[in-house]
Amino acid sequence: MGMIRVHDLSHRYGRLQVLDALGLEIERGRCTAILGPNGAGKTTLVKCILGLVRPDSGRITIDGERVGDDPEYRRRIGYMPQIARYPENLTAREIIQMIRDLRGNPDDTDESLIHDLRVEGELDKPFRTLSGGNRQKVSAVLAFLFRPGILFLDEPTAGLDPVTSSVLKDRVKQERDAGRTIVLTSHVMSEVEELADTVVYLLDGRIHFEESVAELIGTSGEMNLERAIARRITARVVA
Amino acid sequence: MNTLKIARYQLRDVMRSRWVLLYGIFFLLMTDALFRFGGSGERVLLSLMNVVLIAIPLVAIVLGTMYLYGSREFTELLLTQPVRRRSLFLGLFAGLALPMSVAFVLGTGLPFWAHGGLAGGTGSSLLLLLGTGVGLTLIFASLAFLIALSTEDRIRGLGISLGVWVFFTVVFNGLVMLAIYMLADYPMEKPVLALSLLNPVDLGRILLLLSFDISALMGFTGAVFRRFFGSGLGQGVAIAAMAAWVVIPFALGLRSFHRKNF
Amino acid sequence: MSRERPRRARTFAAMTVVGIALLLLALAPRPEGTALELPGSEAAASARATAATQAPTGHDTATPHQSHEGHAPATPSRPETFTGTEHVVGRGERLERISDALEVAEAGDRIRVRGGHYREGPLTIDRSIELIGEGWPVLDGEGEHSILTVTANDVRIQGFILRDSGFSHIRDHAAITVEESRGCRIEHNRLENNFFGIYLARAHDCLVRHNDIRSSATREATSGNGIHLWDVDRVQVEDNHITGHRDGIYLEFAQGAVIRSNRSEGNLRYGLHFMFSNESFYVNNVFARNGAGVAVMYSRDVIMSRNQFLDNWGTSAYGLLVKDVQDSLIEENLFRGNTVAIHSEGSDRLTFRLNRLERNGWAVKILANSQDNYFTANNFIDNTFDVITNSRQNPNTFDANYWSQYRGYDLEGDGTGDLAHRPVRLFSFIVETKPVALILLRSFFVDILEVAERVLPILTPETLTDENPLMIEVPGGEPWA
């Protein structure tokens, strides 16, 4: 459960080649961080895997199943978007209920995050009254709710207070240890260092490098991941 | 199944924003007022005809465009769930077209029922009016979806919507008039009939006219129109054209939605 | 996308919708008030006076007439003071043939014809007798010839079924022909499937009433008129029902005619065709679903009152055509569901008042060669076009009518609108020149053109206005019923 393969994936927005024949394998049971500068194609890659973006060419399989018109594979995916946008007039409870409904009202949902993130009090307010942080928390609840095999977390802690942030990170670790596949994008390198097993670095729609976190830090001789990556990139450029 | 669930939630969202209620009340008050000041059911129908032909396309296309832009978040959220794009599109469409149609039908029909305006031959004319109104709602909601899907810029999208509305309600007829004057030497009855099939507002107007303004249409030219739309073939063509106007923009919208990158 | 843009979009949309609503409000007709003298009113008033003095004279004009529902002629009553000889014709009687009775009868006698089927060829009545049918004897023209011809004065024909007079291109075969005589009475007969029905030529002071005249003509060229009156003075035509002929009632050179309470419907051409017939009066008739309607031409001093002109639909159909008619009064008539209710051409000094014009395509089509006509106290209700003319000049007067299309107001509270009403619409001009443009009827585009025309009239006559449009319908029940 949780093996993602991307073959030869290309996509362009107008004249901008966002993904350029990208190939990638994401292993199950690990946490993979997808990094890169703005516009490198991180979000587009994730959206392609989720089916939000229809790539111009290439192929994506999840556990050997081709990602296409059949939306069933998304049953195994939890997604926490970078910017949480919801119908403004609905409440969080209604959204949660609606998605449960759409997934056929499974019994074994995991609602522990509602309590852990302390959003009980916000569930019955319309979204338009919720702060950015609270919207983010609802996103997290939704992402973990159906115990998905694969989790996509797009900048999960951006805008969260330190306490919530650490609660969420603990939860991510817990899930990883439970054997779930986690795909993470983040600008916070300490977070990546703390959570990720592997780093995939995108540049101009291609994979610039792909290495395990331990290896990156080890071979660079730097103190932390941020500096190790910086060194790694500049080294390439110089060479 | 999912279509229905989505439509239900969308409906709740729409009802909460109250514009559908206002829309229904608008028709209710207008029809009621027409009965109080105008009198007979037939006269009310004639006055309503203009409102239906102008207001419904306008509201459907403007609100439809805004609605789809406003549903962007909802759409993106649901697309990450195990939901087919087709179901989602149908649900979104139903969430708009259904309350609008129901608001129109109730807003117009209830005063008729309350004032006893269904006596005489007005029953079938009212049905035709309601049918035309619902048809125009579907058509212009489809066009709105098509516009909103093909333009990311909301201001631009609304501009296009208004442009399309002005085209179908005003410009098109101006062009027909121009053609009639410029090609005055040719028999224009049939070309003009064919042209009217290309505009759903005209199509609705002519079908309604034939059920109301019989005397004026009995002149020679009117007789040609009447013979066409009054015959089985003509009515078949008119209904088929109306149906095509419902189906084609909807199908194009669905295709566009299917291919869209969010 | 920032949260600012959707808000902007919403504001933009809201402003547009409000703008368009304002535009729609602006489209409501707003007649401009301009002062206008009433050039035709004096002449029309004199026409009314003239018309009023032409109160009809004749046998029993004062007698109120019943509605003529059900046209089966009632049993005729005979004059009490009968002094002549009675001859009875019928099977088993001394006289078995009508022609034999006509031989022996003398002026002042009466011939009573028993029920039966009589095929006797053309019959001529050349002396003043009464020919009375009893039990509906049938006189059969066998599709060959005319049936009864009257050449004597004071002949009465009553109680017959006259059937199948022959068709001819040369002769006007009729069921009953009256020539060059006076004082005939043709009453309570049933005429079926004849070429001409009742044909009066140079017959004066006659009475034609309670006849039921039916045919089933399909072509104008091979059909004749139901009641044909040519060069007759003071004829009275009452309570007849005519259907299926070419013209229901045809009058030419008929002076002082009274046409009353007839029902003429479903005829091929005109319900009533009226030419060179001065000082005539027609009242309480119903003209419905005739090919073209009613035509009144080349006549003066005519009164048309309390008639109903109904459902005359067709390419060139109208309720009433007045062509070269002078000094006449048209009042309290009902015009409903006609392609054109009143078409006036070359007619002067007519007064149209208290008429109800309802749901017609064009209520009044008045050509500019019609002058000094006066329209007042009429109800114009739900017509597609109220008034159309072919000129920017307006030599006629419209004053104090009710117009359902009037959108003005009455702040003064005097019962008439404060702004003048312009009943002529631009679109009617367009349709007049380019009939195909009718397909744009009631379109938003045309509404916009109308507004532009109101602001800056370039086609419609500026002086064709009703300065005192009534705020409510002219009351008066249904005098025609």
Side-chain angles (χ1 to χ4, degrees), chain C residues 136-261:
Chain C
W136 295 112
V138 174
L139 305 187
D140 198 332
E142 300 175 81
E144 291 287 328
H145 50 77
S146 54
I147 303 172
L148 278 176
T149 303
V150 176
T151 59
N153 293 340
D154 302 318
V155 171
R156 180 170 179 197
I157 298 168
Q158 172 178 306
F160 288 93
I161 294 174
L162 298 110
R163 179 182 290 173
D164 296 326
S165 80
F167 162 75
S168 162
H169 281 296
I170 307 146
R171 296 219 47 209
D172 291 342
H173 287 318
I176 301 174
T177 308
V178 181
E179 289 174 344
E180 310 209 8
S181 63
R182 291 184 176 277
C184 66
R185 292 169 74 95
I186 300 166
E187 304 172 272
H188 296 288
N189 298 291
R190 302 209 306 236
L191 282 72
E192 299 168 355
N193 200 31
N194 298 289
F195 180 35
F196 280 79
I198 298 170
Y199 192 113
L200 272 59
R202 298 212 168 94
H204 306 303
D205 302 306
C206 283
L207 173 65
V208 177
R209 75 172 175 195
H210 275 302
N211 299 289
D212 186 50
I213 306 173
R214 296 168 186 275
S215 189
S216 46
T218 51
R219 287 175 52 209
E220 267 188 32
T222 56
S223 58
N225 304 320
I227 298 177
H228 184 100
L229 308 169
W230 182 76
D231 195 3
V232 294
D233 291 347
R234 295 171 303 280
V235 67
Q236 282 200 66
V237 178
E238 295 180 355
D239 291 313
N240 300 287
H241 181 221
I242 309 116
T243 186
H245 276 274
R246 181 172 61 192
D247 293 345
I249 303 172
Y250 175 97
L251 292 87
E252 194 176 353
F253 305 113
Q255 309 304 311
V258 176
I259 312 293
R260 190 203 318 252
S261 301

Side-chain angles (χ1 to χ4, degrees), chain A residues 51-52 54 74 89 94 103, chain B residues 13 16 79 81 85 261:
Chain A
L52 283 167
R54 306 273 192 193
R74 279 186 232 134
N89 293 319
E94 282 169 328
R103 287 183 178 240
Chain B
D13 192 37
R16 233 167 259 186
L79 280 179
Q81 302 298 323
R85 286 197 175 195
N261 298 314

Side-chain angles (χ1 to χ4, degrees), chain B residues 5-209:
Chain B
K5 290 175 186 167
I6 293 163
R8 208 176 66 221
Y9 279 95
Q10 210 45 5
L11 220 57
R12 193 183 298 178
D13 192 37
V14 161
M15 293 315 281
R16 233 167 259 186
S17 68
R18 299 226 171 78
W19 57 259
V20 163
L21 207 63
L22 289 177
Y23 184 69
I25 288 172
F26 164 75
F27 280 106
L28 197 79
L29 291 180
M30 164 148 313
T31 312
D32 189 65
L34 285 171
F35 265 109
R36 285 178 201 281
F37 297 114
S40 74
E42 189 169 344
R43 210 185 269 186
V44 172
L45 278 174
L46 263 174
S47 307
L48 271 178
M49 174 181 146
N50 292 331
V51 180
V52 165
L53 292 176
I54 295 169
I56 287 186
L58 177 65
V59 173
I61 203 164
V62 169
L63 280 182
T65 311
M66 281 166 51
Y67 166 88
L68 201 65
Y69 283 138
S71 304
R72 184 65 185 254
E73 296 82 12
F74 183 78
T75 308
E76 288 181 15
L77 175 67
L78 288 200
L79 280 179
T80 63
Q81 302 298 323
V83 170
R84 278 181 192 281
R85 286 197 175 195
R86 170 195 292 271
S87 306
L88 182 51
F89 186 80
L90 283 170
L92 286 170
F93 190 79
L96 172 73
L98 210 68
M100 272 192 78
S101 300
V102 169
F104 162 65
V105 168
L106 290 183
T108 309
L110 284 180
F112 264 87
W113 176 73
H115 289 273
L118 291 170
T122 48
S124 62
S125 292
L126 176 65
L127 268 184
L128 186 65
L129 184 85
L130 295 180
T132 306
V134 170
L136 289 175
T137 305
L138 298 179
I139 291 167
F140 280 84
S142 290
L143 289 173
F145 274 31
L146 203 53
I147 293 164
L149 286 171
S150 53
T151 316
E152 292 287 328
D153 185 333
R154 300 183 179 207
I155 305 283
R156 216 182 104 134
L158 280 173
I160 295 173
S161 294
L162 282 172
V164 168
W165 175 76
V166 169
F167 177 80
F168 281 124
T169 48
V170 184
V171 177
F172 188 91
N173 287 337
L175 294 175
V176 170
M177 182 84 91
L178 198 66
I180 289 172
Y181 271 87
M182 284 177 57
L183 304 172
D185 299 338
Y186 301 92
M188 287 297 288
E189 283 82 5
K190 281 176 186 165
V192 156
L193 272 180
L195 276 180
S196 69
L197 297 180
L198 299 179
N199 181 348
V201 180
D202 271 7
L203 206 54
R205 181 171 55 81
I206 292 166
L207 283 173
L208 288 171
L209 268 188

Side-chain angles (χ1 to χ4, degrees), chain B residues 154-155, chain C residues 2-13:
Chain B
R154 300 183 179 207
I155 305 283
Chain C
S2 74
R3 296 192 42 76
E4 193 54 31
R5 293 192 87 169
R7 196 177 303 146
R8 255 171 62 205
R10 230 169 284 152
T11 320
F12 176 73

